[in-house]
């Protein structure tokens, strides 16, 4: 018998003796206290223990939020924040970009919700609500803070959380998929997938060493080619295109045309896909039909999860069971 429950019952009996209430009222009060006492909420907000482990989440500081998930997927969102307190100085170093990636925090929340609804799993997530004009969480520390040492702790918190997330995945799974989630404002409405390869390298992917790409860790004793991973039938870009989200690179659009804008991956993608057993890419999402409203984001989340599961099942050591199958 639970000793705490016993103590609660004893207190209840004492209250009953003192209060002049009817037997029926006593029974109702007894049942109410038992129900309240037995309700335990998990971090997922559900009353039941989850069969595949429990995710936990918390604010590391005023702006940095982390979720330690239950599957081998880590997603970071460095540019979705909108909070810009006067107490934190603006970044003012030369040649910097300060654009916000609108609705990308909402996108990762949609991925999290759909993932839990459809697969009973939760990804690892790290995001910041601080606006990029104050701190850029996809740059090395000097450019990220523009030399303002007071921001270094925030920068460290964000990146330490990603380090911890990846390490936790690797204690349980043979590999870790890392996604850095962004948004672009280019007119061409397509996903730009950054594998740390320039448009020229994408154009000649058959002759490019895979070790220069963010998929480096998929090439240990694996017969797959870089071209297959980037533009084959089970490449992430091809799978997303098939789901209605045109992407570059993909089978239909293997490399960006010279005039087309294209992001090939930044600091986070380079840093975290160089960690052993970790592979991934930067997702630069277009606006129309992807992140404008909640229903678009939920539909995108479904396609995103379906595509990464197919990609991982085909090309990595991560089995479908790791994703809830
Ligand atoms: Zn961005």
């Amino acid at each position: 018998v639970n000793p705490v429950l016993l103590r609660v019952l004893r207190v209840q009996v004492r209250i009953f003796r003192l209060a002049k209430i009817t037997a029926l009222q006593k029974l109702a009060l007894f049942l109410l206290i038992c129900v309240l006492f037995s309700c335990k909420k998990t971090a997922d907000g559900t009353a039941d223990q989850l069969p595949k482990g429990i995710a936990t989440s918390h604010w590391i500081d005023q702006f940095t939020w982390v979720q330690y998930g239950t599957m081998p997927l880590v997603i970071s969102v460095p540019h979705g924040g909108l909070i810009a307190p006067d107490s934190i100085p603006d970044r003012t170093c030369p040649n910097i970009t300060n654009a916000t990636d609108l609705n990308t925090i909402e996108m990762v929340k949609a991925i999290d919700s759909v993932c839990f609804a459809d697969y009973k799993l939760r990804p690892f997530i790290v995001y910041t609500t601080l606006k990029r004009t104050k701190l850029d969480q996809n740059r090395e520390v000097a450019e990220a803070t523009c030399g303002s040492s007071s921001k270094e702790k925030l920068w460290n918190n964000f990146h330490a959380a990603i380090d911890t997330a990846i390490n936790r995945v690797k204690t349980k799974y043979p590999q870790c998929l890392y996604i850095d989630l962004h948004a672009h404002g280019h007119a061409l409405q397509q996903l730009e997938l950054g594998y740390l390869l320039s448009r020229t390298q994408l154009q000649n992917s058959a002759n490019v060493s895979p070790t220069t790409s963010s998929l480096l860790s998929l090439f240990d004793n694996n017969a797959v080619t870089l071209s297959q991973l980037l533009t084959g039938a089970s490449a992430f870009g091809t799978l997303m295109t098939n789901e209605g989200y045109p992407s570059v690179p993909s089978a239909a659009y293997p490399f960006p045309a010279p005039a087309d804008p294209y992001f090939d991956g930044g600091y986070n993608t380079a840093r975290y896909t160089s960690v052993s057993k970790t592979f991934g890419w930067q997702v630069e999402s277009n606006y129309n039909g992807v992140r404008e409203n909640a229903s678009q984001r939920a539909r995108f989340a479904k396609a995103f999860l379906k595509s990464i599961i197919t990609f991982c099942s085909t090309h990595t050591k991560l089995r479908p069971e790791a994703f809830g199958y």
Side-chain angles (χ1 to χ4, degrees), residues 11-311:
V11 171
Q12 239 182 282
V13 169
R14 252 177 260 153
I15 293 169
F16 288 173
R17 279 185 195 144
L18 291 171
K20 288 179 182 171
I21 52 177
T22 67
L24 198 63
Q25 283 170 322
K26 279 179 192 173
L27 181 66
L29 192 61
F30 173 78
L31 289 174
L32 180 68
I33 290 172
C34 285
V35 167
L36 286 175
F37 190 79
S38 63
C39 273
K40 264 188 280 177
K41 274 208 160 187
T42 67
D44 294 296
T46 56
D48 297 313
Q49 286 273 316
L50 298 173
K52 298 186 179 81
I54 303 288
T56 59
S57 59
H58 66 277
W59 289 95
I60 298 172
D61 53 52
Q62 198 181 346
F63 308 105
T64 314
W65 189 84
V66 62
Q67 171 168 282
Y68 295 113
T70 55
M71 64 194 291
L73 168 64
V74 176
I75 308 174
S76 55
V77 184
H79 295 155
L82 294 171
I83 298 176
D86 290 340
S87 56
I88 298 177
D90 284 339
R91 297 169 69 232
T92 52
C93 41
N95 304 319
I96 56 165
T97 311
N98 271 335
T100 294
D101 293 351
L102 195 65
N103 290 348
T104 46
I105 293 177
E106 289 78 2
M107 278 176 89
V108 84
K109 287 180 178 175
I111 291 170
D112 185 46
S113 299
V114 168
C115 197
F116 188 67
D118 290 0
Y119 305 100
K120 295 288 173 282
L121 293 172
R122 293 203 182 271
F124 289 72
I125 296 169
V126 182
Y127 67 72
T128 177
T129 58
L130 187 60
K131 204 171 163 77
R132 194 179 181 185
T133 51
K134 304 292 180 181
L135 180 63
D136 189 333
Q137 292 291 28
N138 187 31
R139 294 291 185 275
E140 47 76 33
V141 66
E143 188 181 335
T145 61
C146 283
S148 171
S149 58
S150 61
K151 298 177 192 174
E152 281 178 19
K153 182 148 180 49
L154 293 172
W155 185 87
N156 278 320
N157 285 347
F158 184 89
H159 292 284
I162 301 174
D163 283 332
T164 305
I166 290 173
N167 281 332
R168 287 200 189 182
V169 167
K170 289 191 337 184
T171 61
K172 213 172 158 191
Y173 303 94
Q175 285 168 320
C176 176
L177 169 56
Y178 169 75
I179 300 288
D180 200 32
L181 183 61
H182 293 257
H184 69 71
H186 303 152
L188 195 56
Q189 295 297 306
Q190 62 179 0
L191 304 179
E192 296 171 19
L193 308 174
Y195 297 94
L196 308 177
L197 298 168
S198 68
R199 63 181 72 223
T200 317
Q201 287 177 307
L202 289 174
Q203 195 166 356
N204 301 296
S205 62
N207 302 316
V208 170
S209 165
T211 56
T212 61
S213 82
S214 62
L215 302 174
L216 156 71
S217 71
L218 296 182
F219 289 90
D220 60 336
N221 66 42
N222 195 331
V224 74
T225 66
L226 187 59
S227 303
Q228 283 174 312
L229 294 178
L230 299 174
T231 58
S234 301
F236 179 75
T238 306
L239 295 165
M240 287 303 283
T241 302
N242 295 344
E243 293 288 325
Y245 298 94
S247 303
V248 65
S250 64
Y253 193 22
F255 55 89
D260 290 346
Y262 174 66
F263 285 121
D264 59 12
Y267 172 83
N268 291 349
T269 305
R271 173 168 167 175
Y272 296 109
T273 63
S274 64
V275 175
S276 72
K277 298 177 185 170
T278 307
F279 63 95
W281 50 88
Q282 177 169 309
V283 173
E284 286 278 352
S285 55
N286 51 295
Y287 189 69
N288 298 352
V290 174
R291 55 189 164 90
E292 291 172 82
N293 57 50
S295 62
Q296 285 181 0
R297 294 190 289 267
R299 188 178 159 271
F300 174 87
K302 275 188 182 280
F304 171 87
L305 289 162
K306 195 175 156 196
S307 299
I308 62 157
I309 292 167
T310 303
F311 177 87

Side-chain angles (χ1 to χ4, degrees), residues 1-17:
V1 179
N2 186 330
V4 184
L5 185 59
L6 263 181
R7 275 178 55 193
V8 170
L9 289 175
R10 282 196 197 114
V11 171
Q12 239 182 282
V13 169
R14 252 177 260 153
I15 293 169
F16 288 173
R17 279 185 195 144

